[in-house]
């Protein structure tokens, strides 16, 4: 009974679907990410970013519309991991649990997911989950000074929708 009440309480905390600008992707957030920023990567891919905070927990997404589609899913997953490694450097991550592979988004075999836990130089705890289908690379993340709220984080990190889903 308590589990049902707890799960209902998590869902009732204003989970809402937001389009990630005009990328074609959308994501479910517990707060309003506002206007997503668009930048070009060095290879001219479109990179959309958005973030918001609620109750001292930040939720964010980096959604890359890959310029040249990666047709091999294993290669796409490898590129996702390279991107996560790049983010670790730019976010000044000082420790990581290690990548957990084999995740599927909505049980789809054409989408790969990778998860990790990070701690940055300011002792902020991160939980990140990257997704790719070869056309997009998306990194969803949750960070906070305290413990990452696992149930809420998992709902958010699995709340990505690629075009056509």
């Amino acid at each position: 009974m308590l589990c049902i009440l707890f799960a209902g309480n998590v869902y009732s905390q204003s989970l809402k679907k937001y389009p990630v600008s005009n990328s074609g992707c959308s994501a479910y957030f517990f707060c309003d990410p506002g206007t997503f920023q668009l930048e070009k990567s060095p290879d001219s891919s479109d990179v959309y970013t958005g973030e918001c905070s609620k109750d001292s927990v930040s939720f964010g997404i980096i959604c890359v519309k890959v310029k040249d589609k990666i047709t091999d899913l294993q290669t796409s997953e490898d590129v996702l991991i390279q991107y996560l490694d790049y983010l670790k450097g730019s976010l000044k991550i000082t420790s990581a649990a290690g990548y957990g592979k084999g995740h599927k988004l909505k049980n789809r075999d054409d989408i790969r997911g990778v998860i990790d836990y990070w701690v940055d130089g300011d002792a902020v705890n991160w939980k990140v989950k990257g997704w790719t289908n070869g056309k997009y690379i998306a990194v969803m993340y949750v960070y906070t000074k305290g413990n990452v709220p696992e149930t809420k984080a998992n709902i958010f990190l699995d709340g990505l929708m690629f075009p056509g889903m």
Side-chain angles (χ1 to χ4, degrees), residues 13-75:
Q13 294 179 5
S14 68
L15 188 65
K16 185 177 173 192
K17 184 177 177 183
Y18 292 89
V20 179
S21 191
N22 63 353
S23 70
C25 296
S26 58
Y28 286 88
F29 280 84
F30 287 100
C31 45
D32 185 349
T35 303
F36 289 86
Q37 303 300 309
L38 170 62
E39 294 182 14
K40 291 284 187 182
S41 70
D43 74 348
S44 298
S45 295
D46 292 333
V47 181
Y48 299 89
T49 57
E51 183 177 299
C52 59
S53 296
K54 183 174 182 177
D55 301 327
S56 302
V57 179
S58 295
F59 303 88
I61 184 172
I62 303 166
C63 181
V64 181
K65 187 175 183 179
V66 179
K67 182 179 179 240
D68 298 313
K69 179 184 174 186
I70 304 167
T71 56
D72 178 66
L73 203 50
Q74 182 58 55
T75 301

Side-chain angles (χ1 to χ4, degrees), residues 4 13 19 27 29 72 77 81 85 89 104 106 108 112 146 149:
I4 293 170
Q13 294 179 5
F29 280 84
D72 178 66
E77 182 180 71
I81 289 171
D85 286 341
K104 292 182 181 180
K106 314 287 187 255
R108 302 235 347 204
R112 296 262 178 103

